[in-house]
Amino acid sequence: MNLSQHEVWMRRAIALAARGIGTTHPNPRVGAVVVKDGVMVGEGWHERAGEPHAEVHALNDAGAAANGATLYVSLEPCNSAGRTPACSEAVIEAGITTLYYASADPNPAMAGGAARLRAAGINVFGGLLADAADALNRPFFHYLRTGRPYLIAKAAISLDGKLATRTHHSQWISSAASRAHAHGVRARCDAILVGAGTLRHDNPSLTVRDAEPVGDLPLRVVICRRAPEFFTDCKLLSDEALSRFYLQQSHLSEHDHATIAQWRQAGIDVVVLDAEDYLPAVLRHLAADGRLELLLEGGGQLHGACLAAGLSDELLLYQAPMLIGGDAAVSLWQGEGVAQVTEAVQLVEIERTLLDKDQLIRGRLRYPAL
């Protein structure tokens, strides 16, 4: 078998892993394929946390044919038991003779599977299509490295960088094609975040409408420090998806506590955090809840606060060919911004695509001042 055929099987494993988007959190997305005599005899993916891992599903699918076969898996098999047994032991017991994996496991609690398999006499090769597999698990790897979720800052803006007019009118800056694309991004994320201003001015639904949900519907989150005034026609009160408000203990008054009771009675999960580093604390709480890939949809104050704190990891802009103007119009980065150009946040690994009349600009954020 030549290298291109190995890539074919690994691409299949990575495609299977993608089926776990939206359901595996807080675990990584993993797919596996069992091949014998050039024929696939088993496949599987990790479907949900607490359930069997990809390797076990694939080996069970292959049955006795796994003995003497080759296993392709998008992530190095785990070497420690958690809620499920170690996959390295399952691979050995199945009689696999050769294993190819894409991403090395960065989780110190689970790593070491490759070494265990080699010690058992299995031929192990790592790094096959690692870039593609790493990209699929970017939120998981980011969390292991930083302790916080991967935050995508998404916005529809005018050519002069405005999110809304001076009257907070924003529907619609972006085209229908851009909005459909944004719903596809929503469908892959674990939570959608907005601020109090967006809740008040836009009354958003924060649901997935123009795309098929990939897994569990994203949690709808409002970050607002103080309790927003209760209103009965709030679209987040619908049962289309779960909704949560984050408040800061030091900002609350007696009136806030009464309002909190109204929201809770109406079905909103209200979380009050007693932390000075409020925004990082919100992200930590979401990560502890298994929400590792977040979509930040604004508005300008929340975008600005996350950029100033170095919390946004990726920028996703839908830039429309229009000018809004005005000092009072809502900008992408409200607040002070940076003092020197050398402190500017840089966009790297940039992708550009035309969506009808809009330009989609996407890239990783680099913070030279932090």
Side-chain angles (χ1 to χ4, degrees):
M1 181 180 290
N2 59 40
L3 182 60
S4 63
Q5 290 174 301
H6 288 306
E7 290 179 341
V8 167
W9 295 124
M10 185 59 78
R11 289 190 190 283
R12 176 60 182 168
I14 294 172
L16 288 167
R19 297 186 183 182
I21 293 173
T23 63
T24 65
H25 55 257
N27 290 352
R29 303 148 182 172
V30 187
V33 172
V34 183
V35 177
K36 191 169 188 179
D37 299 326
V39 177
M40 185 177 71
V41 295
E43 64 178 15
W45 68 95
H46 183 42
E47 299 174 12
R48 193 171 294 273
E51 296 181 5
H53 290 184
E55 299 93 321
V56 174
H57 279 304
L59 293 170
N60 288 342
D61 189 37
N67 187 43
T70 297
L71 177 65
Y72 296 83
V73 60
S74 60
L75 179 68
E76 178 186 1
C78 61
N79 195 43
S80 298
R83 283 188 279 180
T84 59
C87 290
S88 56
E89 297 306 317
V91 172
I92 294 169
E93 291 174 8
I96 292 293
T97 56
T98 303
L99 181 137
Y100 289 84
Y101 68 87
S103 301
D105 195 336
N107 187 350
M110 294 292 172
R116 173 72 183 94
L117 295 174
R118 289 191 181 100
I122 296 174
N123 297 311
V124 178
F125 305 93
L128 180 63
L129 299 182
D131 288 346
D134 288 352
L136 183 64
N137 277 313
R138 182 172 289 154
F140 177 73
F141 294 164
H142 177 81
Y143 171 70
L144 289 177
R145 187 174 66 253
T146 67
R148 58 178 176 82
Y150 186 77
L151 186 61
I152 303 170
K154 169 259 176 183
I157 63 170
S158 61
L159 286 175
D160 51 344
K162 306 297 185 182
L163 296 175
T165 70
R166 66 178 185 277
T167 62
H168 295 273
H169 186 256
S170 62
Q171 297 181 351
W172 297 102
I173 290 176
S174 59
S175 67
S178 291
R179 296 195 297 275
H181 184 276
H183 278 273
V185 177
R186 277 187 179 183
R188 296 170 59 95
C189 290
D190 301 322
I192 306 167
L193 283 57
V194 299
T198 299
L199 177 68
R200 180 172 64 253
H201 295 294
D202 295 348
N203 189 16
S205 298
L206 302 184
T207 53
V208 177
R209 296 186 296 277
D210 294 327
E212 286 294 323
V214 179
D216 297 338
L217 289 172
L219 176 70
R220 302 180 291 185
V221 174
V222 181
I223 301 174
C224 41
R225 295 186 187 270
R226 296 191 62 183
E229 289 299 320
F230 182 79
F231 56 107
T232 56
D233 61 342
C234 176
K235 293 179 182 178
L236 299 188
L237 296 178
S238 73
D239 59 3
E240 296 173 273
L242 298 176
S243 299
R244 180 182 298 167
F245 291 175
Y246 280 99
L247 312 179
Q248 189 171 14
Q249 180 67 54
S250 61
H251 284 63
L252 301 184
S253 65
E254 286 301 318
H255 176 71
D256 286 304
H257 289 293
T259 308
I260 289 170
Q262 287 182 289
W263 285 115
R264 283 177 171 160
Q265 187 174 7
I268 300 291
D269 178 22
V270 180
V271 176
V272 179
L273 297 177
D274 186 12
E276 290 302 317
D277 60 337
Y278 175 61
L279 284 177
V282 169
L283 298 186
R284 290 195 299 269
H285 190 276
L286 286 165
D289 192 32
R291 314 285 176 171
L292 301 186
E293 187 166 17
L294 312 180
L295 186 63
L296 173 63
E297 297 203 1
Q301 292 290 342
L302 186 55
H303 272 299
C306 288
L307 286 167
L311 298 175
S312 294
D313 301 294
E314 182 177 319
L315 188 63
L316 176 61
L317 291 180
Y318 301 91
Q319 189 173 45
M322 66 173 69
L323 297 171
I324 290 176
D327 293 339
V330 182
S331 299
L332 176 63
W333 189 336
Q334 298 283 96
E336 294 185 356
V338 301
Q340 305 288 334
V341 172
T342 54
E343 299 171 345
V345 179
Q346 304 291 323
L347 197 63
V348 298
E349 301 175 28
I350 302 172
E351 302 173 15
R352 299 177 188 270
T353 307
L354 282 178
L355 293 172
D356 192 10
K357 62 185 178 64
D358 298 343
Q359 181 175 203
L360 168 64
I361 304 171
R362 188 170 193 168
R364 304 285 297 278
L365 291 170
R366 179 182 293 163
Y367 295 86
L370 296 179

